[in-house]
Amino acid sequence: MNGDTTTEGYEVERCGESEAIDEESTVSPDAEDPLQIFRMPKKMKLADNVKNSDEIISKNQRFWRETLQNQKITKVLAPMVDQSELAFRLFTRKYGAQLTFTPMIHAHLFVNDGTYRRNALALVKADRPLVVQFCANKVDTFLAACRLVEDVCDGVDLNLGCPQMVAKRGRYGSWLQDEVDLICEMVSAVRDYCKIPVSCKIRVRDDRQETISYATRLVDAGATMLTVHGRTRDMKGAETGLADWTRIRDVVEAVGSRVPVMANGNIQFPGDVERCMEATGAVAVMSAEGLLYNPLIFDDANAHVETWKIAAEYLEYARDFHAGTSAIRAHVFRICHHSLLEYEDLRMRVSLEHRVEDFENIVEELGKRARADAEAGKEREVEARKLFESIRNGQLMDAIEVSKQPHWISKPYFRLKEVAKESIVGEGEKTFREKQKEKLAQTAKEMGVSMKQARKRERRQLTGARILEAKKIKFPPCARCGQPAGQGCVHSKCKKCCRYQCKHEHLDCKAHRYLFANLPSESVIEV
């Protein structure tokens, strides 16, 4: 474990490298330090289900409407797998996000796998109000998962919007929307037996009336808030297209008087939140992909700064709040997407590195190159900022025109049709994807294999390169067992041996985040 366990059972971590290690080592999730990280313990036991009183159900029913209204919440960070982790949630809060959702958590694993539960959820007091989102397809499993987190968040959400094939194979997300009876049963169970309100995030269905009926049944079952994504489940990847705000308005008009409805889709520029709320009648707006490519779109004053500056600041949060490598890599890719298309060597480095300091070096190098480009393109930058300001003030956005703007300024990512792509590049030039496809075709021809096989081999080479890159990091041996010692461990021990020594000798280890120096002897558990 990465920390000690409090009297309530929540594991505590230290936040940031400059954190003093002689502070109180056992605190609860309600500790005074708003940036103290705590995690769910590996071992948890649920008491028997006790049905909520009508008073509690009524209170939960009112909770989100009153909270959104009283705190004037209109800007919401969406749940995203491995992307709305703690570091990113706090980063977006700094720039305007008022309500955040955790990444989608698999309810079955969360209930049955202690290691998954501990790693899936990192929390701090400052990240409130917070909604924990689960995917599930069994009533008892969803209820148990919700009850496990009812003391550490403000609400739970059932994912009914994920359109990916993994969700289809797992029978959850938007692929569960055809089993409305089962969904309503899950929602009703949480309404009746969980202390906090339950909400649902859905996609619109192919038929307008079906969407309205679907939303109405969810509210009847006990959903206290709905988030409606204005795309169907088939609108994904290259076929994503634009979200239909009129479909969201249908749901608002049908159930908006009973529960708050949030809109999701097409949030790409400052000003889109207000336009979406006006067009749909929604009480708040949720953004997912828009925030991934520009985490500052909720902040009108700072929305279009240099991408490398945004990435550098995110990496500070990633370091302080222990973001995982996959999350860091994905965020750097997306924040610096347009610049990395210009510098293929840096793009490859992002895909290979593992440590925060390595990503920081990449972003620093990207900043040097981008500043040189910006110096040579001052007039283009001035024109781009004028264009972005006009769009913020209501001018209709031209995706092709926006895509042509300088790569070093944060801007949306568009999935453009081939005709539009022709308009972006110069005459006779190829887009990045076309160049990559051409390169792959040449490789397949040289190997005498199909394009599919060539792509598989390319991915294997990339995986191998990542492993080799990781092996370059040399760790000194543990002074006790000879295994690699933890990087920065003051006792020169591996994680397990360091924990043993710290527990028995009442020591602290900042690198492993063990805090035993101030514990009374009777509280130390023998191992």
Side-chain angles (χ1 to χ4, degrees):
M1 294 189 299
N2 281 350
D4 194 26
T5 304
T6 72
T7 53
E8 288 80 6
Y10 297 97
E11 294 172 13
V12 178
E13 296 182 2
R14 288 301 182 203
C15 166
E17 295 191 343
S18 60
E19 190 77 46
I21 64 172
D22 58 351
E23 295 182 1
E24 187 64 28
S25 59
T26 56
V27 295
S28 73
D30 295 322
E32 291 183 5
D33 183 359
L35 296 178
Q36 183 75 63
I37 303 174
F38 59 95
R39 292 181 181 269
M40 308 297 290
K42 286 188 176 181
K43 294 182 179 180
M44 297 185 75
K45 186 176 181 180
L46 283 173
D48 293 337
N49 291 335
V50 177
K51 190 167 185 178
N52 289 333
S53 65
D54 291 342
E55 183 181 356
I56 292 177
I57 293 175
S58 178
K59 180 182 176 182
N60 286 341
Q61 187 69 27
R62 300 190 308 268
F63 177 81
W64 282 120
R65 185 176 295 281
E66 293 174 354
T67 299
L68 296 176
Q69 184 175 351
N70 294 339
Q71 298 186 29
K72 299 180 180 179
I73 294 173
T74 59
K75 299 174 181 178
V76 183
L77 171 66
M80 294 172 283
V81 176
D82 204 25
Q83 298 286 273
S84 54
E85 83 286 0
L86 176 61
F88 193 69
R89 296 199 302 269
L90 292 176
F91 182 42
T92 55
R93 279 187 182 276
K94 178 179 178 181
Y95 291 102
Q98 300 160 298
L99 169 64
T100 57
F101 282 62
T102 68
M104 182 193 74
I105 298 172
H106 198 295
H108 176 78
L109 293 175
F110 193 79
V111 171
N112 296 290
D113 187 333
T115 301
Y116 176 87
R117 178 166 59 246
R118 185 187 172 284
N119 293 332
L121 201 55
L123 306 156
V124 296
K125 186 179 177 182
D127 186 27
R128 302 292 284 270
L130 173 72
V131 179
V132 177
Q133 188 189 68
F134 292 104
C135 68
N137 55 26
K138 293 182 179 178
V139 177
D140 292 342
T141 303
F142 181 51
L143 175 58
C146 293
R147 290 189 61 209
L148 287 173
V149 300
E150 62 185 5
D151 293 324
V152 298
C153 64
D154 299 282
V156 288
D157 188 80
L158 178 59
N159 184 320
L160 299 171
C162 181
Q164 304 303 325
M165 290 307 296
V166 66
K168 184 177 183 179
R169 291 193 295 269
R171 195 170 142 254
Y172 61 82
S174 64
W175 301 99
L176 201 64
Q177 70 184 23
D178 298 322
E179 301 180 55
V180 182
D181 290 339
L182 172 61
I183 294 171
C184 291
E185 204 176 334
M186 288 194 288
V187 172
S188 295
V190 177
R191 175 198 63 191
D192 292 340
Y193 293 100
C194 188
K195 294 190 298 187
I196 55 178
V198 59
S199 58
C200 298
K201 184 175 186 292
I202 66 174
R203 285 187 170 231
V204 297
R205 305 186 70 157
D206 294 326
D207 180 76
R208 284 181 180 268
Q209 193 54 48
E210 281 185 5
T211 304
I212 293 171
S213 175
Y214 181 35
T216 303
R217 287 200 61 185
L218 291 176
V219 174
D220 291 341
T224 62
M225 178 171 66
L226 292 181
T227 302
V228 183
H229 190 155
R231 296 181 175 92
T232 66
R233 69 182 177 192
D234 295 323
M235 297 174 69
K236 59 185 177 181
E239 302 301 322
T240 296
L242 292 175
D244 188 345
W245 285 352
T246 65
R247 303 291 301 277
I248 301 175
R249 189 170 190 88
D250 290 345
V251 177
V252 173
E253 291 174 349
V255 300
S257 60
R258 300 172 60 189
V259 298
V261 178
M262 297 196 299
N264 181 211
N266 297 357
I267 307 303
Q268 298 170 315
F269 268 94
D272 284 348
V273 169
E274 293 75 17
R275 284 189 282 272
C276 181
M277 290 176 65
E278 182 179 356
T280 62
V283 298
V285 171
M286 176 184 284
S287 178
E289 189 173 87
L291 282 170
L292 288 179
Y293 287 92
N294 183 4
L296 278 58
I297 57 172
F298 285 159
D299 186 343
D300 288 356
N302 299 296
H304 298 293
V305 301
E306 292 84 347
T307 56
W308 60 270
K309 289 183 179 178
I310 300 175
E313 186 171 3
Y314 163 72
L315 289 174
E316 293 177 12
Y317 280 81
R319 179 183 290 278
D320 288 347
F321 296 98
H322 318 306
T325 300
S326 61
I328 295 173
R329 180 180 291 121
H331 283 305
V332 172
F333 261 129
R334 285 177 170 81
I335 293 171
C336 302
H337 170 78
H338 299 285
S339 293
L340 290 174
L341 293 179
E342 302 291 324
Y343 312 122
E344 193 171 346
D345 60 321
L346 295 182
R347 182 183 175 90
M348 179 58 69
R349 282 180 60 190
V350 171
S351 68
L352 295 177
E353 300 296 3
H354 293 77
R355 300 180 300 173
V356 176
E357 50 266 40
D358 295 325
F359 289 109
E360 289 172 336
N361 291 337
I362 293 170
V363 171
E364 184 180 355
E365 174 61 26
L366 180 63
K368 291 178 182 177
R369 300 187 191 183
R371 281 193 293 268
D373 288 349
E375 187 65 28
K378 288 182 178 179
E379 292 184 3
R380 288 186 64 207
E381 183 170 335
V382 171
E383 292 301 317
R385 296 193 182 281
K386 287 181 180 178
L387 173 64
F388 293 162
E389 180 66 20
S390 299
I391 295 172
R392 188 180 73 82
N393 292 331
Q395 176 183 318
L396 187 64
M397 181 183 66
D398 184 333
I400 296 175
E401 188 177 10
V402 170
S403 296
K404 290 180 178 179
Q405 302 311 309
H407 66 81
W408 60 86
I409 304 176
S410 56
K411 57 185 179 180
Y413 166 71
F414 300 102
R415 295 178 180 86
L416 299 173
K417 299 294 184 182
E418 293 301 322
V419 174
K421 288 179 182 177
E422 294 288 337
S423 303
I424 292 175
V425 297
E427 186 176 350
E429 295 181 6
K430 293 183 173 65
T431 65
F432 178 80
R433 287 183 182 276
E434 288 170 338
K435 291 176 183 176
Q436 290 296 99
K437 190 172 181 179
E438 193 175 79
K439 184 178 177 182
L440 187 66
Q442 181 63 30
T443 302
K445 184 177 180 181
E446 291 173 357
M447 291 182 175
V449 297
S450 66
M451 290 273 285
K452 185 176 181 180
Q453 282 297 321
R455 187 174 290 108
K456 282 185 178 180
R457 295 185 184 188
E458 186 181 65
R459 286 173 180 167
R460 289 193 198 110
Q461 288 177 354
L462 182 59
T463 301
R466 284 178 180 168
I467 294 171
L468 289 173
E469 193 70 26
K471 286 182 177 178
K472 289 180 183 178
I473 305 171
K474 300 296 182 183
F475 296 96
C478 171
R480 184 167 180 258
C481 70
Q483 295 293 324
Q487 192 175 24
C489 176
V490 294
H491 309 299
S492 299
K493 300 283 197 305
C494 67
K495 189 174 184 180
K496 186 175 181 180
C497 294
C498 180
R499 180 176 178 81
Y500 182 89
Q501 181 177 352
C502 289
K503 271 200 167 188
H504 285 73
E505 299 180 18
H506 287 221
L507 301 173
D508 287 340
C509 177
K510 189 175 179 181
H512 286 124
R513 301 194 292 276
Y514 293 146
L515 305 161
F516 297 102
N518 296 326
L519 287 181
S521 57
E522 59 269 18
S523 68
V524 177
I525 303 171
E526 294 296 326
V527 295

